Amino acid sequence: MALSDPPKPHAAATLASCRAAGITPILVTGDHPATASAVADRVELLGPNTTADHVVTGKDVAAGRVPDLTAVRVFARTDPQQKLDIVAAWRARGAITAMTGDGVNDGPALHQADIGIAMGGRGTEVARQAADLVLTDDELSTVVAAIEEGRRVFDNIRRFLVYGMAGGAAEILVMLIGPLLGLPLPLRAGQILWINLLTHGLTGVAMGAEPASPGVMRRPPRRADQHILGGGAWQQLLLTATVVTVVSLSAGLIAQAWDEPWQSVLFLALLAAQLGVVLGLRDRPMTLGNPFLLASVLASALLAAAALYFPPLGAVLDTEPLGWRAAGLATACAPAGFLAARLARATFRPGNPRHLHERGADLARHEAIESEG
């Protein structure tokens, strides 16, 4: 009579997804070395590029016969203290450690790891209390899905910060530089508030629903000490703000030379440029993956037109209706903002050579530890 507890069919694919995302899976178990080796082979834990092809036992760890615990991928016959030693070794290297477990023996390591993940179904109460997260379905693939969702949310926060801060900086620069160029009062307070409501309010909130980038799980994780505007984000902000400022002021100066209502032109130009930026900052700008954003941009455009052509609103905001020539001049700033955002993304995104040193550091410093039994 034979007993068999085979790994789940999708376990190998899940671990492959971890490696593609820059996460190194480790098997730490209290089972026999032969069992640990068999499981590692079946789930393809070691991977094609891993040189660590042997099982290290807890006795080896306790005796100090393993010079570098982070070079090992499979541990067997480990006790709670040795699991703590493994977690500590990774953390000493500067890695962010995530440990999964279900037994009483996993409790100390679950508590010590940066992120302890307990199994909610088969896990013991000790493991659940020691962990930071509890998986209700006991599926490691849920952890991978959570990582993807976390990266999506982080990307959208960065995208919103670039968009919102670039727009805010452009508005400040317009108000400071405009008078020096012969535009005495570039924008009135109500006009600035209306621009912020339509950009940071409507479209800014809709940016949070942007789907994950196609390659979000094929890139290394960011460094733990990286600023949220690091990795090229602040350079994108500066470039985008500069272009929006230049094209908006240029539209106002041209309208002044044409004897058109230049303040209303500048108002519409600044708003249109920012709407172009929000579309240009998307990973896939020409897709319908986020209908909320497209609807918000359309709504903002209609409300911008209402500020000019709906008399009661125009009276509150001190705007004047624009003819075709002046309106065309202002709305031409939208594609300029779009192109500026695309250029900023292409020039200063983390995948560019100037940021590759950060990606290499990420691979060396961010790992995940998986514990079994």
Side-chain angles (χ1 to χ4, degrees):
M1 177 174 163
L3 296 177
S4 177
D5 184 17
K8 295 181 179 180
H10 55 269
T14 300
L15 296 184
S17 298
C18 288
R19 284 190 290 270
I23 302 166
T24 301
I26 310 296
L27 176 61
V28 185
T29 179
D31 292 336
H32 191 276
T35 303
S37 180
V39 171
D41 288 340
R42 295 187 69 167
V43 300
E44 302 175 6
L45 175 64
L46 297 180
N49 299 321
T50 305
T51 58
D53 57 356
H54 63 281
V55 178
V56 170
T57 65
K59 289 183 179 181
D60 295 329
V61 176
R65 290 193 290 266
V66 185
D68 183 8
L69 294 178
T70 64
V72 181
R73 298 294 176 263
V74 183
F75 295 88
R77 290 295 191 213
T78 54
D79 61 25
Q81 180 57 52
Q82 291 148 11
K83 293 179 180 181
L84 280 174
D85 292 339
I86 296 167
V87 171
W90 280 104
R91 296 189 67 182
R93 179 178 169 176
I96 301 299
T97 58
M99 178 157 180
T100 66
D102 57 9
V104 174
N105 290 340
D106 296 321
L110 286 170
H111 181 73
Q112 179 70 21
D114 294 291
I115 306 172
I117 306 169
M119 301 298 148
R122 68 175 188 269
T124 62
E125 183 64 22
V126 171
R128 290 196 294 267
Q129 290 295 328
D132 301 293
L133 300 174
V134 178
L135 298 181
T136 58
D137 58 2
D138 290 3
E139 292 283 351
L140 184 61
S141 58
T142 302
V143 177
V144 178
I147 293 171
E148 181 176 8
E149 178 65 11
R151 292 186 178 189
R152 183 191 74 84
V153 171
F154 184 81
D155 287 347
N156 285 344
I157 292 174
R158 279 168 52 96
R159 190 177 292 115
F160 172 77
L161 288 176
V162 171
Y163 170 56
M165 295 179 70
E171 293 167 15
I172 293 173
L173 291 173
V174 164
M175 296 300 293
L176 292 177
I177 299 175
L180 303 178
L181 300 178
L183 304 177
L185 182 61
L187 295 171
R188 299 184 182 274
Q191 295 169 356
I192 296 175
L193 290 175
W194 193 250
I195 291 173
N196 288 337
L197 175 65
L198 300 187
T199 55
H200 304 168
L202 284 178
T203 56
V205 171
M207 290 183 79
E210 278 291 288
S213 305
V216 69
M217 292 301 287
R218 295 192 300 273
R219 72 186 190 207
R222 65 184 179 87
R223 297 201 318 269
D225 61 348
Q226 184 187 76
H227 192 275
I228 193 169
L229 290 178
W234 70 268
Q235 292 97 328
Q236 294 180 28
L237 189 160
L238 291 178
L239 176 58
T240 305
T242 300
V243 172
V244 170
T245 302
V246 170
V247 298
S248 300
L249 286 174
S250 298
L253 291 171
I254 293 173
Q256 186 184 55
W258 289 351
D259 199 22
E260 297 281 356
W262 62 265
Q263 190 179 65
S264 295
V265 170
L266 180 56
F267 161 78
L268 182 59
L270 188 56
L271 203 158
Q274 292 191 54
L275 293 181
V277 168
V278 75
L279 293 176
L281 287 176
R282 301 180 68 198
D283 284 313
R284 293 169 288 188
M286 312 309 289
T287 65
L288 301 177
N290 183 7
F292 302 104
L293 180 60
L294 302 179
S296 68
V297 170
L298 178 60
S300 296
L302 294 175
L303 290 171
L308 296 172
Y309 300 107
F310 183 57
L313 186 57
V316 172
L317 299 178
D318 291 319
T319 59
E320 301 178 47
L322 299 178
W324 287 108
R325 184 174 70 165
L329 172 64
T331 54
C333 294
F338 177 86
L339 293 176
R342 299 311 296 172
L343 176 63
R345 281 178 52 87
T347 306
F348 299 113
R349 66 184 311 160
N352 277 355
R354 70 185 66 195
H355 301 297
L356 285 180
H357 69 282
E358 292 185 2
R359 294 170 63 98
D362 290 336
L363 283 173
R365 300 179 63 186
H366 291 72
E367 316 289 341
I369 295 180
E370 177 193 355
S371 174
E372 182 86 15

